[in-house]
Amino acid sequence: MKDYSDDLAALRRRLDEARVYLRIDELREARPQLEVEASRPDLWDDADQARKVTGELSSVVEDIELYERLEGGIADGETLFELGREEADDSVEAEIAEALEALGTDFGELELRALFTGEHDDSDALCELQSGEGGADAQDWTEMLLRMYLRWAERSGFEVELAEASAGSEAGLSSASFVVRGRHAYGRLRSEHGVHRLVRISPFNAQGKRQTAFAALKVTPFLDDVPDIEIDEKDLRVDTYRSSGAGGQHVNVTDSAVRITHLPTGVVTSCQNERSQHQNKDVAMQMLRAKLAERQREEREAELSAIRGEQRSVGFGSQIRSYVLQPYQMVKDLRSEHETGNVDAVLDGALDGFMEAYLRWERSASDPAAE
């Protein structure tokens, strides 16, 4: 019978490491109090606090149960191996090998969480798309990217709130803003922050020529509670307007769209997808606080890349990723060098491979000994 001692010992070491970076002991201490808070009959009197408590409890339970499932799987594998070795029973070898393979896969998913080391990686994400160079193709590309991220969020179990989408002058969208809610939403989507380049035969070119188009995605941590951000109403200009219904099914056509301009900084937010002007203003104000908090962090750390990475012009030479449909098919990230030939799958939201490759690239770039 094959000796699986080293394999099982390696899994034990990985489990010990997981206990540390998941802070399992702290989570077990925190769980009872969170369960008490979540069971309070008046919990939902404050919806924001209720979402915070239930979300935190869900994350704690998820990490503890995953750790315990892996711990149990290793213990079962060790027991099976010892029994097989004592009884010289080779028939259990295939079962042990299958169990070890499954545990390895589970550990791979678990260890991805160790890459979420940023201050706000657990947070929701405010995402803003903006068309760049490329005319009608860039506006069409912006709408394609919006669909790609909405599909990714749907496939990944995240909630999405589309705040605003503005029709392009020729086609597609000139801009769009949306919030992605769920654990590690920002931690994953920050890998997408930057300029995205599309190369294809242009449907807007009568000669059928190849066209290059650009659009940018800006990703900011979307914090429900930003206590250190004080906004004076005198510093705001609030405009109301009728939404254009840009993006077809994406946006409700209403008379209550709101645009807020923070005059001292020039930061602008808008929302047109809620049912009332009051709701649109509340969402736009929350987006404004998140953007101003981001601005404060950038100024405090004096380095834009500390939170979102470098912001560059939305045109040639600035892209983080290229999506080539002609003359061949390829999506390639220019930072991690992760690539795939299945362009259709990526445009339909299959982005996890690119996100994980970026996080691993980021860790190796900051700590070469980590890889």
Side-chain angles (χ1 to χ4, degrees):
M1 179 179 174
K2 181 179 177 180
D3 187 352
Y4 288 100
S5 301
D6 290 343
D7 301 283
L8 290 164
L11 289 175
R12 274 286 171 194
R13 286 193 296 272
R14 293 170 75 178
L15 186 69
D16 290 339
E17 292 168 1
R19 187 186 188 99
V20 174
Y21 63 71
L22 287 179
R23 298 178 293 110
I24 293 298
D25 294 339
E26 294 177 35
L27 298 184
R28 284 173 171 161
E29 289 181 10
R31 182 175 181 175
Q33 180 59 37
L34 286 170
E35 289 175 335
V36 169
E37 289 187 46
S39 63
R40 279 177 24 223
D42 62 344
L43 176 68
W44 286 96
D45 290 352
D46 184 340
D48 289 339
Q49 178 64 15
R51 281 192 290 270
K52 180 179 179 181
V53 169
T54 55
E56 188 174 349
L57 176 59
S58 176
S59 297
V60 166
V61 170
E62 180 184 346
D63 283 354
I64 291 174
E65 290 184 348
L66 176 55
Y67 175 85
E68 291 177 347
R69 186 167 69 249
L70 288 167
E71 187 176 38
I74 294 173
D76 289 345
E78 290 170 336
T79 300
L80 192 61
F81 172 61
E82 288 301 323
L83 287 174
R85 186 164 60 177
E86 288 173 4
E87 299 177 10
D89 183 2
D90 293 343
S91 66
V92 299
E93 187 171 328
E95 187 178 351
I96 296 172
E98 184 178 341
L100 290 178
E101 183 178 356
L103 284 167
T105 300
D106 289 343
F107 266 108
E109 295 175 6
L110 175 67
E111 287 159 355
L112 175 63
R113 299 185 189 185
L115 301 177
F116 295 120
T117 57
E119 180 184 359
H120 299 293
D121 279 357
D122 270 355
S123 301
D124 299 335
L126 168 59
C127 303
E128 300 168 276
L129 282 165
Q130 180 68 51
S131 63
E133 296 177 9
D137 282 279
Q139 295 168 358
D140 190 45
W141 176 222
T142 302
E143 186 165 25
M144 290 169 65
L145 285 173
L146 176 61
R147 179 189 179 278
M148 180 179 78
Y149 289 117
L150 294 181
R151 288 285 294 126
W152 170 79
E154 177 187 341
R155 292 163 59 136
S156 303
F158 290 105
E159 295 181 10
V160 180
E161 300 168 10
L162 189 70
E164 175 271 336
S166 299
S169 58
E170 301 176 70
L173 299 173
S174 64
S175 65
S177 301
F178 56 99
V179 177
V180 180
R181 294 187 179 275
R183 191 181 188 195
H184 297 138
Y186 177 70
R188 291 179 179 275
L189 281 164
R190 66 184 174 83
S191 66
E192 301 299 296
H193 174 92
V195 177
H196 297 251
R197 170 179 178 254
L198 173 70
V199 181
R200 65 173 179 178
I201 300 298
S202 172
F204 305 102
N205 187 298
Q207 287 76 42
K209 293 183 178 179
R210 194 161 67 244
Q211 174 73 34
T212 300
F214 299 87
L217 178 70
K218 180 186 289 186
V219 184
T220 302
F222 191 60
L223 309 176
D224 287 322
D225 183 20
V226 191
D228 57 335
I229 298 296
E230 295 183 5
I231 300 176
D232 191 332
E233 290 287 336
K234 296 176 182 178
D235 290 336
L236 301 179
R237 186 177 73 236
V238 181
D239 301 308
T240 59
Y241 60 98
R242 181 179 178 84
S243 67
S244 63
Q249 75 274 21
H250 296 315
V251 177
N252 298 325
V253 180
T254 71
D255 294 300
S256 57
V258 174
R259 179 185 299 110
I260 299 177
T261 304
H262 186 246
L263 299 174
T265 62
V267 173
V268 178
T269 61
S270 59
C271 184
Q272 62 186 45
N273 204 37
E274 301 297 330
R275 294 181 180 275
S276 71
Q277 187 177 112
H278 178 73
Q279 289 174 313
N280 278 324
K281 184 178 179 181
D282 285 347
V283 173
M285 282 297 296
Q286 192 174 4
M287 293 166 63
L288 178 62
R289 288 190 181 92
K291 293 176 76 171
L292 290 177
E294 177 76 348
R295 187 184 180 97
Q296 275 194 4
R297 283 191 296 274
E298 291 168 2
E299 292 173 351
R300 189 167 59 242
E301 296 174 18
E303 186 176 356
L304 185 61
S305 60
I307 293 289
R308 294 184 311 202
E310 184 181 2
Q311 180 65 43
R312 306 169 72 180
S313 62
V314 190
F316 284 94
S318 60
Q319 66 271 10
I320 61 164
R321 190 178 301 152
S322 291
Y323 305 70
V324 181
L325 278 65
Q326 292 287 343
Y328 54 88
Q329 293 211 332
M330 177 71 70
V331 181
K332 182 173 182 176
D333 194 288
L334 305 183
R335 303 157 302 174
S336 67
E337 298 189 351
H338 183 75
E339 63 181 47
T340 178
N342 194 346
V343 179
D344 289 341
V346 173
L347 294 178
D348 197 42
L351 294 169
D352 285 342
F354 285 95
M355 293 177 176
E356 293 174 19
Y358 170 83
L359 291 169
R360 297 185 189 283
W361 168 82
E362 181 184 52
R363 183 177 68 173
S364 67
S366 62
D367 181 10
E371 288 298 306

